[in-house]
Amino acid sequence: LDEAAELAEAFERVLGDATAPAPWSALVWCRALLAEARDGEQARAAALFGRAARAYEAQPRPYIAAMARERQARCLLAAGHKDDALPLLSSVLDAYLRLGAVEKAERVRETLREHGRHSPPARRPGRPGYGDRLSPREQEVVRLVVDGRTNQQIATALVVSRQTVVSHLQSAMRKLRVTSRTALAVKAVESNLVGDEKTPDALRAQLDR
């Protein structure tokens, strides 16, 4: 833990005055993990996971925000704040179901049952009908493509399999009527689908390197 804490401090020093939201969100997440791992710091960990969740919600990165909310709720449970934790877990369950994260939703549902809160039977609707619009998950994947991440790096960042990433990319390319990762990223930026500040020409140059 001490070594991990030193790495987090080094990361903060490297960030300096940078204002990019993603690395600062990651730093808060790291500090939350450190607090979660220490005895007697569950309440502090919950507060830090809450900060991370708000930061990811603002970007917006709904999937990782929901993961942060789940960890916040579990830390609240560990700290004895059941009345705060269970409503939060219920909202996390709803978020996972909206995002199609069925396995995580079932994990949260089981925790709610263990604490005497029975949610309505899983209506397990199919994925929301987004038509030709990118789903929230596809937007996250495309945003990471715009950032220059490989499929494996995206899978690691989103805690999914590489094949899941490929599936989301194929769906996004079909919806945007492109046939390559570079064209997908450029089209997403041109259409302002991921809120990226790069110009299409700068993005092409970056991705073609």
Side-chain angles (χ1 to χ4, degrees):
L1 283 177
D2 289 341
E3 187 176 355
E6 289 174 5
L7 284 172
E9 293 301 321
F11 185 36
E12 182 176 13
R13 288 195 297 273
V14 169
L15 284 177
D17 295 329
T19 58
W24 282 108
S25 303
L27 178 61
V28 176
W29 181 281
C30 289
R31 286 176 169 160
L33 290 172
L34 287 166
E36 183 183 32
R38 293 190 178 106
D39 292 337
E41 293 196 23
Q42 296 304 305
R44 178 170 177 267
L48 287 168
F49 278 124
R51 282 180 55 195
R54 290 191 296 274
Y56 285 121
E57 287 162 354
Q59 291 182 38
R61 296 178 64 185
Y63 182 71
I64 194 167
M67 291 174 61
R69 290 294 183 195
E70 180 186 356
R71 296 192 84 127
Q72 178 188 11
R74 294 188 184 281
C75 287
L76 286 170
L77 278 176
H81 301 296
K82 182 177 177 179
D83 290 344
D84 294 324
L86 295 184
L88 183 56
L89 274 178
S90 294
S91 70
V92 170
L93 174 60
D94 291 340
Y96 279 150
L97 289 174
R98 285 195 304 271
L99 293 166
V102 177
E103 290 183 6
K104 286 183 169 56
E106 288 304 317
R107 178 180 67 204
V108 171
R109 192 187 301 280
E110 180 60 30
T111 300
L112 288 168
R113 280 197 293 262
E114 289 172 358
H115 290 274
R117 178 164 295 200
H118 296 277
S119 54
R123 198 172 62 88
R124 292 193 59 157
R127 292 182 180 276
Y130 291 100
D132 288 336
R133 295 180 295 113
L134 298 185
S135 70
R137 195 55 154 160
E138 290 163 354
Q139 288 183 38
E140 280 198 290
V141 171
V142 173
R143 185 178 293 108
L144 292 173
V145 170
V146 170
D147 286 342
R149 309 281 190 95
T150 66
N151 286 358
Q152 186 56 58
Q153 289 170 332
I154 295 172
T156 300
L158 300 182
V159 198
V160 297
S161 71
R162 187 175 180 277
Q163 185 53 47
T164 297
V165 172
V166 171
S167 177
H168 285 309
L169 282 175
Q170 289 174 341
S171 176
M173 284 192 281
R174 184 182 69 254
K175 290 178 179 181
L176 297 184
R177 296 178 176 83
V178 296
T179 57
S180 71
R181 289 168 63 94
T182 298
L184 174 66
V186 170
K187 183 68 172 290
V189 171
E190 287 177 336
S191 304
N192 196 30
L193 296 178
V194 294
D196 198 89
E197 296 180 357
K198 297 182 181 71
T199 65
D201 288 343
L203 181 60
R204 285 190 186 93
Q206 171 192 313
L207 295 173
D208 288 342
R209 281 202 297 269

